[in-house]
Amino acid sequence: MPRRRRQEQGLERVLGAPGLFAAVYGNVGSSIYYALGLTAVFALGLTPLVFVIAGIVFAATAMTYAEGTVRYPEAGGSSSFARHAFNELASFGAAWAQMLNYIITIAISAFFVPHYLSIFWEPLRGNPWDIIGGAVVIVILVLLNIVGIQESARVNIVLAAVDFATQVLLVILGFFLVFSPHVLTANVHFGTAPTYSQFFLAIPIAMLAYTGIETVSNLAEEARDPARNVPRAYLMTAIAVFAIYFTLPSIALSAMPVHLVNGHYETVLGLPPPKGFTNDPVLGVVENLGISGQLLSVLKIYVGILAATILFIATNAGVIGASRITYAMSSYRQLPSVFRRVHPRFKTPYVSIIFFAGLLSILALLSGKTSFLGTLYSFGAVLSFTIAHAAVAMLRVKTPDEELVFRGRPNIRIRGVSVPLFSIFGGICTALAWIVIVVKDANVRWAGLGWLAIGAVVYWVYRRRVVHAPLTQTVRAPVIVLGASLEIEYRKIVAPVVRTPESEEALVAAARLAAERGATIAIVAVVEVPLELSIDADLAEEEERADELLDEARALVEAYGVRTVTRIKRARRAHTAIVEEAVQRGAELVVLGAQRQRARHGASVFGTTVDHVLRDSPCRVLIATGRVAA
Amino acid sequence: MTGFQTRATQALSVVLLVLGVVLIARTIQSGVGGGLGLLIGGMLVLAGGARLYLSQR
């Protein structure tokens, strides 16, 4: 059994809904360790309500990302949606905003690692040791990523489960020990503490809690069945996130109520150290649960180590994300090709890792201010979300008759267009959130708008002076050619499979080629949906067969030591799905098997699927026909 | 805020306003597919206008 063999070897890389969920929750779940304190700085007693409001916007955003990602299961998230819906300039804007998010995710996650390790050494809770500690974390991860570490999916799943279980445990303990509806209502002095201005600024800051929603989009390339796995992964994430974010803030504000001190309302949850817990809010919850003695010490050490580990992994996810998006941007000629350069020995994009994930993150970290980092993150995130909402809505308008394998809800039909209400609602909310940040926070206004201005200048100069292409035109960087022999570097190969000897032969040819060049093979099984059925019809039997075929094909290819991703695609015709996959992955080669047919005048030699792929493929096509007896 | 900071903020607000208006005008001029230009342009106009209003209040 190929599937069992893979699992025994610990090489499971098939990303189903639970795998995707674990990867996302590892990221989204990590933000509670800083978002809770940061939001409380502004929202005070209304912190629980602010998280609920931000959660509703998150639900709309998750729906938008689910539809966009199923439609285009490729790395890039909002940048990819914007390319399809608008043009390359819009795609660049979204990607540049995302880049800011990754840089700040790295900075803020690394910055909070020392805060939670302060259980061992108190000075790590504040400046300058948290800055130094954070910088050390970033340097370590940059070096590890240049050398090329492999993240273990299994470790991530276990950590996400432990993290979620711990957060649930804290909520349960809190409900029994400190939860008080009376305290929660007494905490609120709306108009004074928080002021209306603080309240409206707190909402976009609370969206910081939903850091990492783009992760599913970036991993969707490796999902076998995006149409089923991606929406489920988003749903699971939303449920888990709501379970924590709708409850833990109430526990925190019950444990650390708002008091009037020297004429000002404050909660220790939103105060800086040494008195407050804005730098380590979850440790603040533990410390104020009403437990004491040995149990408190053990719980603090456990939560401290867990939080530091989760934040360390979230920092690493940011480093990987930053290098991936830079690589993608330079592949689309949005950034100079120097950022696409890979290390001669380690084969990793070391220039982009050092510059964006290393230097810029450490630069952001040097401010040493959690609220600045948090608000700057929200600035980039809500801009990126707004573009994603707009793109998904525009795609519905541009192609109103397109059959969607997954369609977000709710919708309303206007003049033949199914208008996505979730995108409209989400887009309005995130756009307003962005305006509030720009209007209310001076430091972020200068830093965030400065970042956008720098990006616009770099893009304009590079496009006009180097690429000599219009700003709105999509241009792919040429395939890297090695040496004088003009040997093409095949980094991505698409291999469609069916259950025939020729297909198996093609797969072996692709595997040998990929093993020589260190390439990745995307193995594709197409489920052809008859015209009389809707594109999302239940075809469980066909999908099960495709699943088995992919398992066998993967086992065969991995025997050559080649990295694979597998994909089930639904389409009316196999060739459209194959060509679409080659385009989406930016493949340099399609390898497919075909039976030789007796040549008749004007008739197809290999069959219509191969003919169409040959005609429409964006890259080279290699056909394996099987041997003919001598 | 110092006088310099206030002037800098007001200047930036005007830049945002102008940028927003230009973006909206260019988007309308370009025609089809410009939904995002209208949205981002509108956001810039609102942000610049609101900041300018608050700084003069």
Side-chain angles (χ1 to χ4, degrees):
Chain A
M1 286 287 155
R3 182 176 294 176
R4 197 173 64 221
R5 189 166 64 236
R6 271 202 326 273
Q7 283 169 344
E8 281 165 1
Q9 292 169 342
L11 292 172
E12 184 65 78
R13 283 200 301 261
V14 177
L15 280 173
L20 283 171
F21 161 71
V24 182
Y25 194 76
N27 273 345
V28 181
S30 71
S31 42
I32 190 84
Y33 295 106
Y34 45 81
L36 187 55
L38 279 173
T39 308
V41 170
F42 297 93
L44 295 168
L46 283 178
T47 302
L49 176 68
V50 163
F51 274 111
V52 171
I53 295 170
I56 293 167
V57 180
F58 171 73
T61 307
M63 189 65 87
T64 285
Y65 271 81
E67 181 172 319
T69 306
V70 171
R71 206 163 180 164
Y72 304 109
E74 54 197 36
S78 54
S79 164
S80 164
F81 310 158
R83 177 174 298 114
H84 294 285
F86 303 109
N87 54 41
E88 201 60 22
L89 181 59
S91 166
F92 169 78
W96 194 243
Q98 265 191 65
M99 177 72 83
L100 179 65
N101 298 345
Y102 283 123
I103 291 169
I104 303 300
T105 300
I106 295 166
I108 202 166
S109 303
F111 187 52
F112 273 73
V113 169
H115 295 161
Y116 281 92
L117 290 179
S118 67
I119 43 167
F120 299 111
W121 193 50
E122 185 70 18
L124 286 172
R125 280 190 89 199
N127 297 159
W129 288 105
D130 53 354
I131 299 175
I132 295 167
V136 169
V137 168
I138 293 173
V139 170
I140 290 171
L141 285 172
V142 163
L143 291 176
L144 285 175
N145 276 281
I146 289 174
V147 174
I149 50 163
Q150 286 274 327
E151 269 199 313
S152 164
R154 189 168 293 183
V155 170
N156 278 352
I157 291 173
V158 170
L159 271 172
V162 172
D163 186 30
F164 182 63
T166 305
Q167 290 169 1
V168 170
L169 175 73
L170 288 179
V171 169
I172 294 170
L173 275 176
F175 265 110
F176 281 109
L177 297 173
V178 292
F179 179 70
S180 164
H182 172 70
V183 171
L184 287 176
T185 46
N187 278 338
V188 180
H189 310 274
F190 199 22
T192 312
T195 60
Y196 296 113
S197 167
Q198 285 176 318
F199 175 72
F200 287 114
L201 185 56
I203 294 170
I205 290 172
M207 287 178 193
L208 182 67
Y210 305 118
T211 315
I213 192 173
E214 301 254 4
T215 314
V216 172
S217 300
N218 287 335
L219 290 175
E221 273 188 336
E222 302 186 27
R224 173 168 289 186
D225 191 354
R228 281 198 301 182
N229 301 150
V230 169
R232 271 186 211 168
Y234 275 116
L235 181 67
M236 289 162 81
T237 307
I239 291 170
V241 164
F242 292 161
I244 300 303
Y245 281 98
F246 288 3
T247 51
L248 197 57
S250 299
I251 303 298
L253 264 296
S254 296
M256 293 171 271
V258 176
H259 291 297
L260 186 63
V261 180
N262 299 329
H264 291 284
Y265 285 100
E266 61 183 37
T267 160
V268 289
L269 182 62
L271 287 181
K275 207 173 138 196
F277 294 96
T278 190
N279 280 0
D280 46 6
V282 181
L283 275 180
V285 173
V286 172
E287 208 155 286
N288 290 280
L289 275 179
I291 50 176
S292 57
Q294 199 65 26
L295 181 61
L296 175 63
S297 305
V298 171
L299 198 56
K300 274 175 69 176
I301 290 173
Y302 167 69
V303 169
I305 292 175
L306 178 69
T309 310
I310 297 286
L311 289 165
F312 189 82
I313 289 170
T315 311
N316 191 43
V319 174
I320 294 169
S323 67
R324 275 190 181 195
I325 197 153
T326 319
Y327 191 87
M329 288 173 82
S330 46
S331 297
Y332 278 98
R333 313 218 71 177
Q334 295 177 348
L335 282 181
S337 52
V338 65
F339 294 114
R340 219 174 142 225
R341 192 176 293 162
V342 291
H343 193 280
R345 185 168 160 209
F346 303 120
K347 307 287 180 204
T348 48
Y350 68 107
V351 179
S352 61
I353 293 177
I354 291 172
F355 185 72
F356 287 103
L359 286 178
L360 293 185
S361 300
I362 290 175
L363 198 65
L365 182 71
L366 288 179
S367 70
K369 287 196 166 58
T370 47
S371 60
F372 169 73
L373 289 175
T375 317
L376 189 56
Y377 174 83
S378 297
F379 173 94
V382 293
L383 182 59
S384 166
F385 292 165
T386 305
I387 296 175
H389 287 303
V392 166
M394 180 54 100
L395 283 167
R396 292 275 193 98
V397 176
K398 274 176 86 171
T399 52
D401 301 323
E402 188 173 332
E403 293 180 299
L404 295 181
V405 181
F406 173 77
R407 188 182 290 270
R409 282 178 296 184
N411 303 291
I412 185 168
R413 189 160 280 278
I414 301 173
R415 292 184 185 174
V417 176
S418 172
V419 177
L421 291 178
F422 54 94
S423 288
I424 306 291
F425 169 75
I428 290 170
C429 291
T430 52
L432 287 175
W434 187 84
I435 292 167
V436 168
I437 292 171
V438 172
V439 171
K440 298 303 296 179
D441 195 310
N443 292 331
V444 171
R445 180 162 59 244
W446 288 105
L449 293 175
W451 173 260
L452 295 182
I454 290 170
V457 171
V458 169
Y459 184 72
W460 189 87
V461 170
Y462 180 61
R463 276 295 179 124
R464 285 288 161 92
R465 298 294 160 94
V466 181
V467 183
H468 301 291
L471 302 182
T472 52
Q473 186 186 331
T474 299
V475 185
R476 293 297 295 257
V479 173
I480 296 169
V481 175
L482 304 171
S485 63
L486 292 181
E487 196 176 9
I488 301 292
E489 188 188 5
Y490 296 122
R491 288 173 296 108
K492 288 179 188 165
I493 299 174
V494 167
V497 285
V498 286
R499 203 173 278 288
T500 63
E502 289 81 13
S503 181
E504 192 172 323
E505 193 139 331
L507 208 54
V508 171
R512 285 186 168 157
L513 193 62
E516 266 178 37
R517 314 290 167 94
T520 302
I521 299 183
I523 309 170
V524 185
V526 183
V527 174
E528 284 189 309
V529 185
L531 280 169
E532 61 269 22
L533 296 177
S534 76
I535 195 75
D536 58 349
D538 184 22
L539 296 168
E541 212 172 289
E542 285 79 355
E543 289 201 335
E544 181 63 27
R545 275 204 295 271
D547 219 28
E548 280 173 17
L549 181 62
L550 285 177
D551 273 342
E552 289 168 23
R554 174 189 280 268
L556 176 69
V557 172
E558 284 185 348
Y560 289 82
V562 173
R563 188 172 181 278
T564 59
V565 288
T566 48
R567 168 68 47 89
I568 296 174
K569 282 192 84 99
R570 281 170 171 243
R572 299 295 182 192
R573 297 271 180 272
H575 63 84
T576 52
I578 295 166
V579 170
E580 193 180 86
E581 191 70 14
V583 172
Q584 280 176 354
R585 291 192 184 276
E588 283 98 16
L589 184 68
V590 174
V591 181
L592 72 174
Q595 202 172 14
R596 268 186 276 224
Q597 295 172 2
R598 187 180 294 276
R600 283 172 300 163
H601 183 67
S604 163
V605 178
F606 295 117
T608 51
T609 299
V610 176
D611 278 1
H612 280 97
V613 172
L614 280 169
R615 193 188 64 195
D616 300 332
S617 169
C619 57
R620 294 171 179 220
V621 179
L622 183 70
I623 302 168
T625 57
R627 296 176 188 87
V628 176
Chain B
M1 276 212 294
T2 64
F4 171 74
Q5 283 174 325
T6 308
R7 279 196 298 278
T9 303
Q10 287 175 344
L12 180 67
S13 308
V14 173
V15 170
L16 288 182
L17 258 170
V18 172
L19 261 178
V21 172
V22 169
L23 194 54
I24 290 169
R26 285 274 299 170
T27 305
I28 292 169
Q29 191 186 13
S30 306
V32 186
L36 190 65
L38 295 180
L39 179 65
I40 301 286
M43 285 162 67
L44 290 175
V45 168
L46 278 175
R51 187 59 255 167
L52 198 60
Y53 169 73
L54 287 176
S55 67
Q56 286 179 338
R57 213 168 49 157

